[in-house]
Amino acid sequence: MSTATRPLWQTWARCVPPLAHVSVQEPSPDPAATVTRLARARLAGQYLAYEAAGGVWHFAAGSAVSVTADATTLTARAAGRTWTSRTDGQPLTAFATALSALRDADTAGRHFYGWAAFELAHLLHADPAAAGDRPLLHALVPSVEVTLTADRTVIRAVDEAWARKTADLLAQPAARPAAPGQWPPDRTESVLTTGSAAYGRAVARTVADIRAGLLEKAVLSRKVPLPAGTRPDFPATYLAGRRANTPARSYLLDCGGHQAAGFSPETVLEVGEDGRVSTQPLAGTRARGTDPAENERRRAELLTDPKEIHEHAVSVRLAWEEMAAVCRPGSVVAEEFMAVRPRGPVQHLASRVTGRLRPGAGPWDAFASLFPAITATGVSKRAALQTLARHEEGTRDLYGGAVFRASTAGTLDAALVLRTLLGTGDQAWLRAGAGVTAQSSPERETEETCEKLRSVAPYLRFTER
């Protein structure tokens, strides 16, 4: 983004009120239920709840201050005013420039929350024309932020009215909401097979591309629309699903035109104030159930399966290369390699690659290199994106993208959007994918998508239309 636009965003940033009112409350005995209750209260037009590492939960609400970017235009709002600028085909650069102005406007340490759509990948790595004209990035700068830890609950708000309203809500006895509707298990299983035959054919075509030498791996996904006439209850689905899942991150949001309730198995990246950057590729899957002996058998099978090991190894190799592009020479290491991590009804091969950002590089430079996660695209990333455009139906939108919490101090924590109930307007759907390699079979990859869909589908809850 040209420096000529910087004064524009500095003007916007000066209109963003600080979170000057801080109060400390008793810790919540059930953070998942607390953030769900805050979401149901509809404190503002937009909200985002984010479960970070270490049992720390955040809830942000506010609709007056936001930044949204599509392929051509960046739009920012604050104090009833709107600012727009062209992105010159670089929406992530424009987005980062606008948000960096907050740091220069005496709001150091301010956090913001948002999402990145998968189609941003086409502008970063492949065909810009495939990015479309929908929003690709969105962030809200909250009017109120609630942080829940094991020892306290902290409310930060722009004014006393926001702080009091939130504190009063937290102090109220938790009302038991009306029991939402739920599908019987047989209907849930029947929904999971929607589109499975077409998906099997797409897998076969992708395997043919790989054997022809066009790429090494593609993470091919399928969309499962919820039947017409159903209206999912996103907060209730989130709470029920979080009780049953073991995610790396979880999130519940209604912002920027999207709704989501998800249980992410991995992060795209994590960046600390000290410049340490980390990514956590997961690739290679087996089912996980209630029988410990059977789980252990599948774990051993996962660790010795040539297809799964190859799929994981090529993902880690590319993650390493993408980290090296933005990190100090010699600082990139694999702190963990091919561990097995439980994630709800599945278990995955997991690795962690870390490094230190090189001088002059910031969190959004790392995001540009690593996004979208290699475990949601393939190898090479450019060829995989082209393959997905040929063989997947429709756009992914948030699926395979990221939900994030970031700060003006340089931190960024971005969860990969998988295992998620998604919605826009009156439509809602699930989506799941599998890593396709030369050794893949359509039957096994289709079954793997069903295993992953079971992270969400049994916990869907519905309201009366």
Side-chain angles (χ1 to χ4, degrees), residues 75-101:
T75 303
R77 295 179 174 84
R81 298 173 59 187
T82 301
W83 294 258
T84 61
S85 176
R86 293 189 60 80
T87 66
D88 298 325
Q90 297 181 313
L92 182 57
T93 301
F95 188 75
T97 299
L99 290 169
S100 69

Short mmCIF file of all heavy atoms in Angstrom, two decimals, residues 75-101:
data_model
loop_
_atom_site.label_atom_id
_atom_site.label_comp_id
_atom_site.label_asym_id
_atom_site.label_seq_id
_atom_site.Cartn_x
_atom_site.Cartn_y
_atom_site.Cartn_z
N THR A 75 -12.10 -0.86 3.40
CA THR A 75 -13.09 0.02 4.03
C THR A 75 -12.93 -0.05 5.53
O THR A 75 -12.90 -1.13 6.11
CB THR A 75 -14.52 -0.41 3.66
OG1 THR A 75 -14.65 -0.40 2.23
CG2 THR A 75 -15.55 0.52 4.27
N ALA A 76 -12.81 1.09 6.17
CA ALA A 76 -12.69 1.17 7.63
C ALA A 76 -13.80 2.06 8.16
O ALA A 76 -14.19 3.04 7.51
CB ALA A 76 -11.33 1.72 8.03
N ARG A 77 -14.29 1.71 9.36
CA ARG A 77 -15.37 2.46 9.98
C ARG A 77 -15.03 2.76 11.43
O ARG A 77 -14.50 1.89 12.14
CB ARG A 77 -16.69 1.69 9.89
CG ARG A 77 -17.19 1.50 8.48
CD ARG A 77 -18.49 0.71 8.42
NE ARG A 77 -19.03 0.65 7.07
CZ ARG A 77 -18.66 -0.23 6.15
NH1 ARG A 77 -17.74 -1.15 6.47
NH2 ARG A 77 -19.18 -0.21 4.95
N ALA A 78 -15.36 3.94 11.88
CA ALA A 78 -15.20 4.34 13.29
C ALA A 78 -15.92 5.65 13.51
O ALA A 78 -15.95 6.52 12.62
CB ALA A 78 -13.73 4.49 13.66
N ALA A 79 -16.52 5.78 14.69
CA ALA A 79 -17.18 7.03 15.10
C ALA A 79 -18.19 7.52 14.07
O ALA A 79 -18.32 8.73 13.82
CB ALA A 79 -16.12 8.12 15.36
N GLY A 80 -18.92 6.57 13.45
CA GLY A 80 -19.94 6.95 12.49
C GLY A 80 -19.40 7.40 11.15
O GLY A 80 -20.17 7.85 10.30
N ARG A 81 -18.09 7.27 10.93
CA ARG A 81 -17.48 7.70 9.67
C ARG A 81 -16.95 6.48 8.92
O ARG A 81 -16.71 5.42 9.50
CB ARG A 81 -16.35 8.69 9.92
CG ARG A 81 -16.80 9.98 10.60
CD ARG A 81 -15.59 10.84 10.96
NE ARG A 81 -14.80 11.20 9.78
CZ ARG A 81 -13.63 11.84 9.84
NH1 ARG A 81 -13.12 12.18 11.02
NH2 ARG A 81 -12.97 12.14 8.73
N THR A 82 -16.76 6.65 7.62
CA THR A 82 -16.24 5.58 6.78
C THR A 82 -15.09 6.10 5.94
O THR A 82 -15.16 7.20 5.38
CB THR A 82 -17.34 5.03 5.83
OG1 THR A 82 -18.42 4.54 6.61
CG2 THR A 82 -16.80 3.92 4.95
N TRP A 83 -14.02 5.31 5.86
CA TRP A 83 -12.85 5.63 5.05
C TRP A 83 -12.65 4.49 4.04
O TRP A 83 -12.77 3.31 4.40
CB TRP A 83 -11.58 5.73 5.90
CG TRP A 83 -11.55 6.86 6.88
CD1 TRP A 83 -10.87 8.05 6.75
CD2 TRP A 83 -12.17 6.93 8.16
NE1 TRP A 83 -11.05 8.84 7.85
CE2 TRP A 83 -11.86 8.18 8.74
CE3 TRP A 83 -13.00 6.07 8.88
CZ2 TRP A 83 -12.30 8.57 9.99
CZ3 TRP A 83 -13.46 6.45 10.11
CH2 TRP A 83 -13.10 7.70 10.67
N THR A 84 -12.32 4.82 2.80
CA THR A 84 -12.06 3.78 1.80
C THR A 84 -10.78 4.11 1.04
O THR A 84 -10.39 5.27 0.91
CB THR A 84 -13.22 3.65 0.80
OG1 THR A 84 -13.39 4.89 0.11
CG2 THR A 84 -14.51 3.25 1.49
N SER A 85 -10.15 3.03 0.55
CA SER A 85 -8.94 3.19 -0.25
C SER A 85 -8.80 1.97 -1.14
O SER A 85 -9.26 0.88 -0.81
CB SER A 85 -7.71 3.34 0.64
OG SER A 85 -6.53 3.41 -0.13
N ARG A 86 -8.13 2.15 -2.28
CA ARG A 86 -7.85 1.02 -3.16
C ARG A 86 -6.71 0.18 -2.57
O ARG A 86 -5.82 0.69 -1.92
CB ARG A 86 -7.47 1.50 -4.56
CG ARG A 86 -8.64 2.19 -5.28
CD ARG A 86 -8.29 2.46 -6.74
NE ARG A 86 -7.99 1.23 -7.47
CZ ARG A 86 -8.90 0.40 -7.96
NH1 ARG A 86 -10.20 0.66 -7.77
NH2 ARG A 86 -8.54 -0.68 -8.60
N THR A 87 -6.78 -1.11 -2.85
CA THR A 87 -5.74 -2.02 -2.33
C THR A 87 -4.67 -2.35 -3.36
O THR A 87 -3.67 -2.98 -3.02
CB THR A 87 -6.36 -3.35 -1.87
OG1 THR A 87 -6.88 -4.04 -3.01
CG2 THR A 87 -7.46 -3.11 -0.85
N ASP A 88 -4.89 -1.97 -4.61
CA ASP A 88 -3.94 -2.29 -5.68
C ASP A 88 -3.65 -3.79 -5.75
O ASP A 88 -2.52 -4.21 -6.03
CB ASP A 88 -2.63 -1.51 -5.50
CG ASP A 88 -2.84 0.00 -5.55
OD1 ASP A 88 -3.71 0.44 -6.34
OD2 ASP A 88 -2.15 0.73 -4.82
N GLY A 89 -4.67 -4.60 -5.49
CA GLY A 89 -4.50 -6.03 -5.58
C GLY A 89 -3.73 -6.65 -4.44
O GLY A 89 -3.38 -7.84 -4.49
N GLN A 90 -3.48 -5.88 -3.38
CA GLN A 90 -2.74 -6.38 -2.22
C GLN A 90 -3.55 -6.10 -0.95
O GLN A 90 -3.16 -5.28 -0.11
CB GLN A 90 -1.37 -5.73 -2.12
CG GLN A 90 -0.46 -6.04 -3.31
CD GLN A 90 0.90 -5.39 -3.17
OE1 GLN A 90 1.01 -4.21 -2.85
NE2 GLN A 90 1.94 -6.17 -3.40
N PRO A 91 -4.69 -6.78 -0.78
CA PRO A 91 -5.56 -6.47 0.36
C PRO A 91 -4.91 -6.75 1.71
O PRO A 91 -5.19 -6.04 2.67
CB PRO A 91 -6.78 -7.36 0.12
CG PRO A 91 -6.29 -8.46 -0.76
CD PRO A 91 -5.26 -7.83 -1.65
N LEU A 92 -4.06 -7.77 1.81
CA LEU A 92 -3.44 -8.07 3.09
C LEU A 92 -2.48 -6.96 3.50
O LEU A 92 -2.43 -6.55 4.67
CB LEU A 92 -2.71 -9.41 3.04
CG LEU A 92 -2.06 -9.87 4.35
CD1 LEU A 92 -3.08 -9.95 5.48
CD2 LEU A 92 -1.37 -11.21 4.17
N THR A 93 -1.72 -6.43 2.55
CA THR A 93 -0.82 -5.30 2.84
C THR A 93 -1.62 -4.09 3.29
O THR A 93 -1.26 -3.42 4.26
CB THR A 93 0.02 -4.96 1.60
OG1 THR A 93 0.78 -6.10 1.22
CG2 THR A 93 0.95 -3.79 1.89
N ALA A 94 -2.71 -3.80 2.58
CA ALA A 94 -3.54 -2.65 2.95
C ALA A 94 -4.18 -2.86 4.33
O ALA A 94 -4.24 -1.93 5.15
CB ALA A 94 -4.64 -2.45 1.90
N PHE A 95 -4.65 -4.05 4.58
CA PHE A 95 -5.26 -4.41 5.86
C PHE A 95 -4.26 -4.22 6.99
O PHE A 95 -4.57 -3.59 8.01
CB PHE A 95 -5.70 -5.87 5.75
CG PHE A 95 -6.51 -6.41 6.89
CD1 PHE A 95 -7.84 -6.07 7.05
CD2 PHE A 95 -5.96 -7.31 7.78
CE1 PHE A 95 -8.61 -6.62 8.07
CE2 PHE A 95 -6.70 -7.86 8.81
CZ PHE A 95 -8.03 -7.51 8.96
N ALA A 96 -3.05 -4.72 6.83
CA ALA A 96 -2.02 -4.60 7.87
C ALA A 96 -1.63 -3.14 8.08
O ALA A 96 -1.40 -2.70 9.22
CB ALA A 96 -0.80 -5.42 7.49
N THR A 97 -1.58 -2.36 7.01
CA THR A 97 -1.23 -0.94 7.12
C THR A 97 -2.27 -0.18 7.94
O THR A 97 -1.93 0.63 8.81
CB THR A 97 -1.09 -0.31 5.73
OG1 THR A 97 -0.05 -0.97 5.02
CG2 THR A 97 -0.76 1.17 5.83
N ALA A 98 -3.55 -0.44 7.65
CA ALA A 98 -4.61 0.24 8.40
C ALA A 98 -4.55 -0.11 9.87
O ALA A 98 -4.64 0.77 10.74
CB ALA A 98 -5.97 -0.12 7.81
N LEU A 99 -4.38 -1.40 10.19
CA LEU A 99 -4.36 -1.82 11.59
C LEU A 99 -3.10 -1.33 12.31
O LEU A 99 -3.13 -1.05 13.52
CB LEU A 99 -4.47 -3.34 11.68
CG LEU A 99 -5.84 -3.89 11.28
CD1 LEU A 99 -5.80 -5.41 11.15
CD2 LEU A 99 -6.92 -3.48 12.28
N SER A 100 -1.98 -1.19 11.58
CA SER A 100 -0.76 -0.70 12.22
C SER A 100 -0.91 0.75 12.66
O SER A 100 -0.20 1.20 13.57
CB SER A 100 0.43 -0.83 11.27
OG SER A 100 0.32 0.07 10.18
N ALA A 101 -1.85 1.47 12.03
CA ALA A 101 -2.07 2.86 12.44
C ALA A 101 -2.59 2.95 13.86
O ALA A 101 -2.42 3.98 14.53
CB ALA A 101 -3.05 3.53 11.47
#
